[in-house]
Amino acid sequence: MKNLSKLKAPILAIILTIGSALVNAQSIKSLDALEFSPEGILFAGDKISGAIHAFDLSSETRFAEQFEINAYNIDAQVAAALGTASGNLKINDMTVHPISGEVFISVTRGHGIDALPALIKVNAESQLQIVDLTSLKSTSQSLNKLPDGSQNFIVRGTMAPPTIKEIEKSKVPMRTLSIMDIEYHKGEVFVAGITNENFCSVLRRMPYPFTGEESVSNIEMFHIAHDQYETRAPIRSFLIENIDGIDQMVASYTCSPLVLIPLDELKNGAKVKARTIGDMGNGQPIDMVSFSMQGNNMIYVTSNSRTPRVISVGGLEKAKVYTEKDFERGGKSDMDILPIGPMGKPVMFTGSALQVALLNPMQFATIRRDPDTGSMDLESVSIYFANKMNNLHAEMDFPQYAKEHENDKKK
Amino acid sequence: MLKFSFNLVFFLSIIINSGVVAQSTPELVFPSSLQGSIKFELSANPNSNKEKLDYDQLAVYVKNSAEEYGSNPIQGQHIREGNYLIFKPYFPFESGMIYVARTKKNNSHSDYSFHSFQIGKKKKIEESKIISIYPTASQLPENLLRFYIYFNTPMKKGEALKHIQLTDEAGNVDNHTFMEFKQELWSSDDKRLTILFDPGRIKRGVTTNIKEGPALIEGKRYKLSISGTWQDVYGQKLSTKTTKEFEVINAYRHHMKVADWVVNKPRTNNNDTLTIHFDRILDHALIQSMFKLEDEENNLMDGYWEILEKEQLVQFIPKYKWEKGNYRIVIDGRLEDISGNNLQNLLDHTKTSKENNKKPLQYIKFKI
């Protein structure tokens, strides 16, 4: 028995006392927004240590064939692998490896000071693996002007005394909005979030490989639904597309304006006025995904409050820019003029789309809340019809129908 | 990237008796700490060292609230040492969680056996109750401004005044005693509620004071009661009704001055406490932050303050022995008595009084 206690190498024991064996807890404190470069570098936002980490996953190999992903009860499965209950787990973001096509999910195990970050890979067989971040080559860049974490939001009731949940929301540090989304574009990393200033909504850009250089631009936009110019609420999700012949950011905000920002304007210290080209209707966007449908560039947008929307990038060319002069004063809602602008079409999605990424040219990977059971499932769905049929019974599900149409198939 | 295979084709959901947590045996040693590992003794088999040993021999699962566990074991590292197989999870165990270890001897014919274990206890929510009500005295002035109610757990908001009542000797309820705010006055941890008497009832000559009269009348007895049906944020009821009875005495209508307080000086080379006896009851919440003690070089003295004698006395307990020298007690001018009068002004005053002392900081100096 005695010699057994000496089994662990001392260095491993030291790492374990401060967190997980697979994460170097001294530099990586949380894993939030994720983004891959085409070469397989994974960028991860870390709101707690205030940095962007880049992990080299470029050696992953391509699978011979496209594969389906079906990992049901993904939250319970990840929780089990991490030795905890699903109530102690928060899924932060999901992305797909550009070469292997495998799904990567950033999560947080536990709450408060006990919280630990983990990166999960779901492979082509839909099996879960915890990624050993200590075995990967990695670099990090610290972000400037981050909120220090001491200031929280205010309590904002709506017409009635605030509820417990509304009060709980106010106890969140503003720092949690410091890194909202990351995009890699032509050798640069773009990050949306907030700073410690009053005019705090910003876009950061930095070259990769990291040099320590960071350019921070403040972003102002006209919010149609709120009927005001806003400088604090951050961009929730964004993409970079070529529109009107130049590279522009297509960015979405809460409640839910869509704006364009030419990349050329994002210079260090610049106060940039984003062009509001529409509003997708009240709600908070979660993800924006670029994909190609019959040769056309499209954007799939998910929201925590409404069904996904498919927007044609071509439709954003020469779009009208809205300002306060275009409207009568007062808030706007779904009940009157919203959505407005070339905001595409709302599309069917059974349940709630929590995370979406492009799995391969024909399929999305989605983390979906099932409308009947409430389970959280990771599934692959077609880009043309991003749905599973398990929650619906239609005419075609009847045996009589199948029999009557047997001959159709033979033809 | 880590690679390991799951040969767990079977999907078992085994009901394990709740509350049965196994003890370590020489054969199976459970982790002794959250960062620990689990050790399993394999059967003595000369060839077993060459076999691949993994989740099939030793796997640990999280037991869920339905007393079941799913198909996925906790992921970690298997290490072979002599006749023992050791499993160390990648992420530390969690306190209070019930885990199930599934073991199998390394001959393929044996069956699995299951053993549940737990490291530490689950954090328990404390029962909801009222810890104290301030002021604690049973005689309170007619122009009393506020009560503080301290709870053990954070309470449900927005319904305080439905649960709090003031009744007079005859049992009459006064529903307009306290200020109704859109937002109740809670401390940042949601465990302390401040209830304010309607200042309109206290300030003389104000409409509500004339129409409804003062809330408290000198010489009479009152009862503050808090219902036992009030729930905390976890849904736990206070369960017992709490009452505080008090008698109303003369209003505090004269200026509060530090010159009226009695200071009991400590002796040199001694750990004596320094006491300050007030001429009235002071506000419990404000006392805690508005007193400081400095030496002659304006260094803050090490030690702590204690509130005694029903908020009529504070004492400073020094960390080190007193040395000879000049000292000063620094008091924030905004310090209030329980009627809202501060060191600068009276709450209920007629225009500017000559007695006002506008100094933001006031001092009591002494030498030992």
Side-chain angles (χ1 to χ4, degrees):
Chain A
M1 293 293 290
K2 235 179 187 176
N3 59 349
L4 283 173
S5 60
K6 292 187 202 157
L7 187 85
K8 290 286 170 300
I11 186 108
L12 183 65
I14 289 165
I15 293 169
L16 287 171
T17 54
I18 50 174
S20 147
L22 305 188
V23 177
N24 182 352
Q26 267 162 348
S27 56
I28 303 166
K29 292 186 175 144
S30 75
L31 294 168
D32 305 298
L34 299 178
E35 162 81 354
F36 267 112
S37 77
E39 298 78 29
I41 304 296
L42 178 66
F43 298 98
D46 180 341
K47 290 172 186 170
I48 297 181
S49 72
I52 304 295
H53 306 299
F55 302 104
D56 187 347
L57 285 156
S58 57
S59 60
E60 299 270 302
T61 48
R62 185 178 295 280
F63 286 87
E65 292 170 15
Q66 284 179 6
F67 50 85
E68 299 254 326
I69 290 228
N70 287 299
Y72 300 126
N73 300 302
I74 183 74
D75 53 340
Q77 286 200 52
V78 173
L82 295 172
T84 192
S86 53
N88 273 343
L89 185 86
K90 190 171 164 279
I91 291 184
N92 299 323
D93 201 8
M94 178 180 82
T95 189
V96 171
H97 195 288
I99 302 160
S100 73
E102 293 171 319
V103 175
F104 286 76
I105 302 169
S106 56
V107 305
T108 306
R109 188 191 89 156
H111 309 281
I113 54 164
D114 298 327
L116 294 173
L119 183 68
I120 310 294
K121 179 170 101 166
V122 183
N123 69 15
E125 281 88 45
S126 298
Q127 285 173 340
L128 260 62
Q129 295 168 357
I130 306 173
V131 179
D132 180 3
L133 295 177
T134 60
S135 73
L136 301 175
K137 269 192 260 170
S138 69
T139 54
S140 296
Q141 179 158 332
S142 296
L143 302 180
N144 297 321
K145 297 187 191 172
L146 281 176
D148 63 12
S150 63
Q151 208 178 348
N152 294 356
F153 293 100
I154 56 153
V155 181
R156 181 170 67 106
T158 43
M159 289 175 266
T163 62
I164 297 293
K165 285 189 173 185
E166 283 168 333
I167 293 170
E168 285 304 313
K169 174 186 135 183
S170 75
K171 291 178 180 167
V172 172
M174 280 160 47
R175 176 143 181 161
T176 54
L177 299 191
S178 58
I179 302 171
M180 301 306 304
D181 197 12
I182 305 175
E183 282 293 314
Y184 175 84
H185 181 74
K186 297 178 183 168
E188 278 186 290
V189 179
F190 293 81
V191 181
I194 63 167
T195 59
N196 54 7
E197 302 155 308
N198 182 28
F199 186 163
C200 66
S201 170
V202 290
L203 280 165
R204 303 163 185 274
R205 67 192 291 182
M206 58 205 85
Y208 181 81
F210 295 134
T211 60
E213 188 191 325
E214 181 193 358
S215 155
V216 185
S217 318
N218 300 76
I219 310 297
E220 183 190 53
M221 59 100 188
F222 177 66
H223 196 299
I224 298 170
H226 298 165
D227 188 29
Q228 60 191 3
Y229 282 87
E230 298 194 351
T231 58
R232 298 181 185 93
I235 289 167
R236 307 297 305 198
S237 186
F238 68 97
L239 293 169
I240 295 166
E241 300 282 352
N242 193 285
I243 296 168
D244 296 333
I246 52 169
D247 283 346
Q248 301 210 51
M249 210 167 258
V250 185
S252 61
Y253 287 85
T254 296
C255 239
S256 298
L258 196 76
V259 306
L260 296 182
I261 305 161
L263 294 193
D264 283 350
E265 294 185 14
L266 297 176
K267 297 194 172 88
N268 194 30
K271 306 264 183 281
V272 178
K273 281 189 196 310
R275 282 82 154 150
T276 303
I277 53 164
D279 189 302
M280 297 178 283
N282 305 143
Q284 183 159 289
I286 304 173
D287 260 335
M288 295 173 75
V289 181
S290 280
F291 68 107
S292 173
M293 196 163 72
Q294 294 167 330
N296 297 312
N297 289 338
M298 309 297 278
I299 301 172
Y300 195 81
V301 190
T302 58
S303 163
N304 73 0
S305 314
R306 49 205 308 142
T307 196
R309 188 167 273 282
V310 173
I311 298 172
S312 152
V313 175
L316 305 181
E317 301 267 341
K318 309 253 175 328
K320 173 181 168 57
V321 176
Y322 291 98
T323 68
E324 82 283 7
K325 293 183 185 113
D326 293 299
F327 304 98
E328 283 178 22
R329 296 284 67 81
K332 311 288 182 297
S333 79
D334 296 334
M335 302 296 281
D336 39 66
I337 62 159
L338 304 184
I340 188 168
M343 298 294 104
K345 285 196 156 220
V347 291
M348 173 181 167
F349 193 96
T350 42
S352 316
L354 305 177
Q355 298 289 339
V356 182
L358 193 65
L359 184 65
N360 56 52
M362 300 309 289
Q363 286 179 307
F364 294 125
T366 68
I367 293 181
R368 173 175 88 102
R369 183 74 79 185
D370 187 283
D372 298 331
T373 65
S375 67
M376 205 192 269
D377 303 323
L378 170 61
E379 293 162 313
S380 47
V381 289
S382 161
I383 57 164
Y384 292 99
F385 186 67
N387 289 283
K388 296 285 185 189
M389 291 290 98
N390 63 296
N391 304 101
L392 312 165
H393 284 113
E395 176 81 2
M396 296 73 84
D397 292 310
F398 285 80
Q400 300 92 323
Y401 179 93
K403 202 169 182 187
E404 280 174 26
H405 291 78
E406 251 171 21
N407 292 334
D408 299 354
K409 279 184 190 165
K410 284 174 191 162
K411 283 175 199 168
Chain B
M1 184 69 45
L2 289 157
K3 297 278 179 201
F4 47 89
S5 62
F6 288 112
N7 298 321
L8 309 170
V9 191
F10 37 83
F11 187 106
L12 281 179
S13 230
I14 293 206
I15 306 292
I16 292 158
N17 290 335
S18 74
V20 179
V21 178
Q23 296 296 312
S24 287
T25 60
E27 245 192 10
L28 183 65
V29 185
F30 294 126
S32 56
S33 72
L34 299 178
Q35 280 79 26
S37 48
I38 182 165
K39 300 174 195 174
F40 176 55
E41 189 180 29
L42 302 161
S43 62
N45 176 350
N47 298 322
S48 65
N49 271 328
K50 290 166 194 156
E51 285 177 30
K52 182 172 160 40
L53 296 169
D54 59 16
Y55 294 92
D56 194 32
Q57 278 72 40
L58 175 60
V60 181
Y61 296 83
V62 176
K63 193 154 109 172
N64 67 25
S65 53
E67 302 292 325
E68 294 170 350
Y69 67 90
S71 58
N72 285 352
I74 297 173
Q75 294 189 12
Q77 196 180 9
H78 286 87
I79 304 156
R80 182 71 189 271
E81 167 116 349
N83 228 18
Y84 277 89
L85 179 62
I86 293 166
F87 174 73
K88 175 114 198 161
Y90 292 134
F91 280 69
F93 290 105
E94 288 191 338
S95 186
M97 187 78 69
I98 296 177
Y99 296 99
V100 181
R102 193 196 62 186
T103 58
K104 189 175 89 167
K105 292 285 179 187
N106 53 332
N107 74 62
S108 55
H109 303 297
S110 65
D111 291 329
Y112 294 109
S113 46
F114 300 86
H115 323 263
S116 59
F117 68 95
Q118 192 179 22
I119 311 162
K121 290 271 176 285
K122 208 158 215 151
K123 283 175 199 157
K124 213 182 142 198
I125 301 166
E126 290 174 69
E127 66 171 315
S128 184
K129 60 181 182 193
I130 289 172
I131 302 170
S132 47
I133 299 173
Y134 287 92
T136 54
S138 56
Q139 289 191 320
L140 299 171
E142 194 179 82
N143 58 347
L144 176 69
L145 184 62
R146 51 173 99 82
F147 282 112
Y148 294 111
I149 307 174
Y150 283 82
F151 300 88
N152 210 23
T153 53
M155 297 301 290
K156 223 169 233 181
K157 311 296 165 327
E159 52 186 64
L161 291 185
K162 281 185 208 159
H163 297 283
I164 300 172
Q165 252 183 5
L166 189 76
T167 45
D168 65 14
E169 288 165 278
N172 299 317
V173 179
D174 185 343
N175 284 324
H176 306 288
T177 322
F178 303 114
M179 280 296 284
E180 279 197 52
F181 293 105
K182 200 173 170 191
Q183 202 171 319
E184 296 165 352
L185 305 171
W186 288 93
S187 58
S188 58
D189 65 358
D190 295 336
K191 292 183 185 176
R192 186 191 72 199
L193 174 69
T194 306
I195 42 175
L196 275 180
F197 280 87
D198 185 342
R201 302 280 299 273
I202 299 172
K203 290 200 172 196
R204 291 160 296 174
V206 176
T207 321
T208 29
N209 177 272
I210 296 165
K211 216 166 74 186
E212 302 196 30
L216 303 173
I217 297 165
E218 191 185 334
K220 296 204 165 173
R221 296 190 64 82
Y222 293 87
K223 188 161 75 178
L224 177 76
S225 40
I226 298 122
S227 88
T229 57
W230 197 354
Q231 292 179 355
D232 67 7
V233 294
Y234 310 110
Q236 308 182 105
K237 280 183 191 166
L238 288 172
S239 74
T240 53
K241 182 174 165 180
T242 308
T243 56
K244 176 188 170 62
E245 289 187 45
F246 58 96
E247 187 191 339
V248 175
I249 55 168
N250 248 338
Y252 289 173
R253 296 217 188 274
H254 55 287
H255 277 89
M256 180 163 64
K257 296 177 197 140
V258 296
D260 294 335
W261 298 347
V262 180
V263 179
N264 186 5
K265 284 194 296 185
R267 293 165 297 167
T268 38
N269 204 20
N270 204 298
N271 280 86
D272 283 356
T273 57
L274 168 81
T275 61
I276 311 164
H277 208 292
F278 311 124
D279 62 330
R280 62 186 81 195
I281 306 171
L282 299 197
D283 183 279
H284 178 258
L286 295 174
I287 297 178
Q288 300 174 45
S289 60
M290 295 200 169
F291 282 88
K292 275 196 304 187
L293 183 65
E294 292 177 351
D295 67 11
E296 53 194 23
E297 280 146 14
N298 297 351
N299 297 315
L300 205 59
M301 296 288 293
D302 252 344
Y304 62 95
W305 293 89
E306 221 174 44
I307 304 163
L308 296 168
E309 300 200 1
K310 301 189 188 301
E311 303 89 71
Q312 291 184 84
L313 184 145
V314 289
Q315 66 176 20
F316 177 79
I317 302 159
K319 195 171 170 190
Y320 306 107
K321 287 182 179 170
W322 294 99
E323 286 173 15
K324 268 190 188 165
N326 293 305
Y327 294 89
R328 60 177 192 176
I329 304 163
V330 186
I331 306 126
D332 191 315
R334 293 168 298 172
L335 176 69
E336 290 179 13
D337 65 20
I338 52 171
S339 299
N341 306 307
N342 63 29
L343 284 169
Q344 299 172 330
N345 217 336
L346 289 172
L347 177 73
D348 182 11
H349 57 90
T350 52
K351 293 186 182 168
T352 321
S353 159
K354 276 181 187 163
E355 285 193 76
N356 288 354
N357 178 351
K358 287 290 177 198
K359 285 178 194 151
L361 292 175
Q362 302 192 16
Y363 304 96
I364 301 173
K365 293 178 184 173
F366 64 93
K367 188 177 180 175
I368 50 173

